Amino acid sequence: MFGFFLRKKEVEQIKDDTKKGFESVKKDITAVSGWIKHLDSEKNIQKKDIGEIKADLSTLKEELEGLKNILSMMNELKTNSLFKTTRKVFNKQTGVYAVQTAVQTAVQTPNLSQFSVTERAIILVLLNSDMKLSYDDLAAMLQKERSTIRGQINTIRQKSEGLIEESIEKNGKKRVFIPEEIKEKLIKKQKVRVKRG
């Protein structure tokens, strides 16, 4: 009879131990699933961060390409001797009228050093063009976005009024250009600098 009670007690003990074992396994599984969820969210955050870094790098790459293009274009403009004098300059004293005109020209024409590299590139393209160019034309030449070109032209206008003028065609398309008299003044100013050098 005592054996029956002992066996019953052992069975109850085994049931309790099994129940406790299953509860601890359940707790462990819950903890592991929590860690899996945490690691998954961390992975998504890192994926997002890597995507942002890639986007930033591609933007920087595009900007560097644009700067390379502008620099190569400016080097080509230098070698094309746009601002070099064609006749030999002698050490002669300049007449009063010529000095007065040169001083007036320097005062009235904008100083190109006040503009950024890209703004100067836009000015140089417009200086070398006989046509009135649209924002799209300039964007294609300088490999920039149309909105960037428009913003930079607005900045140039703020820095120097009247340097760049705009005309609107019948179809509503805007075109920008540098007026002929300002072109001549800019070229003369550059020639004066070359002579002094």
Side-chain angles (χ1 to χ4, degrees):
M1 190 145 182
F2 280 120
F4 175 76
F5 283 117
L6 284 173
R7 281 188 180 170
K8 194 173 181 185
K9 207 172 185 182
E10 283 176 9
V11 169
E12 289 295 324
Q13 182 69 38
I14 290 170
K15 276 185 182 177
D16 285 344
D17 289 344
T18 307
K19 193 176 180 183
K20 285 178 183 174
F22 275 118
E23 284 176 1
S24 64
V25 167
K26 189 178 176 183
K27 282 181 183 175
D28 290 344
I29 289 172
T30 307
V32 167
S33 68
W35 271 105
I36 289 171
K37 285 178 185 174
H38 171 72
L39 291 173
D40 190 49
S41 67
E42 284 293 317
K43 183 184 88 172
N44 290 335
I45 289 170
Q46 288 177 350
K47 207 174 187 181
K48 185 182 172 190
D49 290 344
I50 289 169
E52 288 174 0
I53 290 168
K54 281 183 179 177
D56 289 345
L57 285 174
S58 66
T59 305
L60 284 172
K61 191 176 179 183
E62 287 173 10
E63 288 179 4
L64 280 173
E65 286 298 319
L67 284 173
K68 281 182 188 175
N69 292 334
I70 290 167
L71 287 173
S72 66
M73 194 176 77
M74 291 181 76
N75 282 336
E76 285 175 21
L77 290 174
K78 272 185 186 176
T79 56
N80 286 343
S81 69
L82 173 67
F83 297 127
K84 291 182 181 173
T85 54
T86 52
R87 354 176 257 260
K88 199 170 182 180
V89 181
F90 299 100
N91 291 329
K92 289 185 177 179
Q93 186 175 356
T94 317
V96 176
Y97 178 74
V99 169
Q100 182 181 357
T101 307
V103 170
Q104 285 175 345
T105 306
V107 170
Q108 292 166 356
T109 55
N111 184 6
L112 291 179
S113 62
Q114 69 180 328
F115 301 109
S116 70
V117 174
T118 314
E119 291 165 358
R120 270 185 265 173
I122 291 171
I123 293 168
L124 290 172
V125 168
L126 291 173
L127 270 175
N128 289 309
S129 175
D130 295 331
M131 299 183 299
K132 297 177 181 178
L133 301 174
S134 67
Y135 293 134
D136 295 322
D137 297 333
L138 287 166
M141 288 174 159
L142 299 173
Q143 294 184 343
K144 293 277 184 185
E145 293 291 323
R146 185 182 186 277
S147 57
T148 305
I149 296 293
R150 190 175 60 228
Q152 288 172 334
I153 286 176
N154 287 336
T155 307
I156 292 169
R157 285 177 156 176
Q158 287 172 358
K159 288 180 181 178
S160 178
E161 268 186 59
L163 175 61
I164 294 180
E165 290 189 9
E166 189 176 85
S167 66
I168 301 173
E169 295 178 343
K170 289 179 184 176
N171 62 2
K173 194 165 192 171
K174 292 181 180 179
R175 295 197 174 270
V176 290
F177 63 97
I178 296 177
E180 286 301 319
E181 63 271 7
I182 293 178
K183 272 187 185 181
E184 289 172 15
K185 287 177 183 177
L186 277 169
I187 291 170
K188 280 181 185 175
K189 184 177 181 183
Q190 294 302 321
K191 282 183 179 177
V192 166
R193 285 186 179 171
V194 170
K195 284 180 187 177
R196 287 180 183 163

